[in-house]
Amino acid sequence: MEAAETSILLVPVARDGTAFMPELGNSRGYTIGPKGEERKVADYRQALQELRAMPKACWRRPNDAGNWGIVTAVRWEMRPITAA
């Protein structure tokens, strides 16, 4: 079994405090981009790189009720990210 590696990365954070984290992906990848221009990106680090290039970083994530919606970054923070 391969050991998990932790890196400190700059990630976008939405107004509600949720950040773009690896666990937001599913079998098809990560959904990023503003409404109507969304796209799937298979790799977390590639999705993060694309979010950095956007004028306003937008991504889908589940809310408290489990419904997936689009959020927009209001700030960027350094966070520990663990990947297998």
Side-chain angles (χ1 to χ4, degrees):
M1 178 177 226
E2 197 174 310
E5 179 183 318
T6 299
S7 301
I8 305 296
L9 299 176
L10 186 63
V11 298
V13 180
R15 179 172 276 107
D16 65 0
T18 58
F20 183 73
M21 302 298 279
E23 49 271 12
L24 295 179
N26 59 31
S27 62
R28 295 186 328 220
Y30 301 87
T31 305
I32 62 171
K35 189 169 186 163
E37 298 176 32
E38 297 167 80
R39 63 189 175 283
K40 288 283 190 183
V41 179
D43 179 73
Y44 175 77
R45 288 182 186 252
Q46 179 64 38
L48 189 56
Q49 183 176 342
E50 291 187 31
L51 287 168
R52 285 187 187 121
M54 292 179 186
K56 290 186 178 183
C58 301
W59 67 97
R60 279 200 180 264
R61 60 95 179 105
N63 62 18
D64 291 337
N67 300 314
W68 287 77
I70 297 174
V71 292
T72 302
V74 295
R75 67 183 179 276
W76 290 74
E77 293 179 357
M78 299 300 285
R79 298 270 181 107
I81 306 296
T82 302

